[in-house]
Amino acid sequence: MSQGLDTQALLRLMAWLSPAFPIGGFAWSGGLERAVFDRLLTNAAGLRDWLSAILGHGALWNDAVLFAEAWRQSGNEAMLKEAAELGLALAGSAERFTETLSLGRAFVAAASAWPDAVLERLPPDVPFPVAVGAVAAAHDVPAEKALAAYLHAAVSQSVSAGIRLGVAGQTEGVAILADLEDLIAETAERAAQTTLADLGGAAVQAEIVSLRHETQHSRLFRS
């Protein structure tokens, strides 16, 4: 596969990770809503620090490792099935499980607009990072570039959720994205060199709020 990102690959990557891509990502907060409800997050600085921890030590790091594995194994149906099963098993709550599975299935369905045999190699039950990683590789999008775009989209979605939850304004949200730019790039570069042995996290509070959100009565988001 080529190491450069040509215009066609760039356009596809932008489409797949656009907020307009029909996967329903806007409906999920990854537990962020409960963190705000519990007053663990009260302002933009807290949201920035929360996302930094998730990138380096939490669910987004594990997503990046799974993404890299799926990218490498995009031509191997058995290995993609194994990565998908592992990704679903790593979900720390019922809502996280449903979120990654729902997004993964929706992504595969929408990505059929760009027909490729990789869509047949992916299992029916596929977590979101495995789906995007495999499809990106099949369309010659370099791993590090695809990872950076994936992580940036995930952080952007969380920032958008934070704005809707009232812990940051739009200008503050843009500032968070600017502040996290280097960390996103560094995480993508590091994750591109990982193996499944690098899976693991220490963002315990984030996992707890994800579990607690399951019993939250009044909510804006599904997770």
Side-chain angles (χ1 to χ4, degrees), residues 108-132:
V108 171
S112 64
W114 294 268
D116 190 276
V118 71
L119 298 174
E120 301 300 321
R121 290 192 291 272
L122 286 166
D125 294 339
V126 59
F128 188 41
V130 172
V132 183

Side-chain angles (χ1 to χ4, degrees), residues 85-100 207 210:
E85 291 173 347
L86 180 57
L88 294 175
L90 285 171
S93 67
E95 287 185 352
R96 284 199 185 279
F97 179 93
T98 303
E99 179 177 355
T100 193
E207 298 301 326
S210 180

Side-chain angles (χ1 to χ4, degrees), residues 13 16-17 23 59-91 96-97 99-109 111 116-139 141 143 146-147 150-151 154 194-196 199:
L13 188 60
W16 298 332
L17 297 173
I23 60 172
L60 278 182
W61 169 250
N62 282 335
D63 273 6
V65 174
L66 289 166
F67 186 114
E69 175 69 6
W71 190 93
R72 286 190 298 270
Q73 304 294 345
S74 65
N76 188 323
E77 184 173 352
M79 294 302 293
L80 286 175
K81 183 175 184 292
E82 183 176 322
E85 291 173 347
L86 180 57
L88 294 175
L90 285 171
R96 284 199 185 279
F97 179 93
E99 179 177 355
T100 193
L101 183 57
S102 172
L103 295 177
R105 286 172 170 171
F107 180 86
V108 171
D116 190 276
V118 71
L119 298 174
E120 301 300 321
R121 290 192 291 272
L122 286 166
D125 294 339
V126 59
F128 188 41
V130 172
V132 183
V135 170
H139 290 272
V141 182
L147 274 163
Y150 176 89
L151 294 173
T194 60
T195 69
L196 292 180
L199 285 167

Side-chain angles (χ1 to χ4, degrees), residues 189-206:
E189 181 180 9
R190 186 160 55 101
Q193 309 302 320
T194 60
T195 69
L196 292 180
D198 295 294
L199 285 167
V204 178
Q205 190 66 266

Side-chain angles (χ1 to χ4, degrees), residues 176-189:
I176 291 172
L177 291 176
D179 286 345
L180 294 180
E181 195 172 84
D182 288 344
L183 180 58
I184 291 171
E186 292 166 7
T187 303
E189 181 180 9

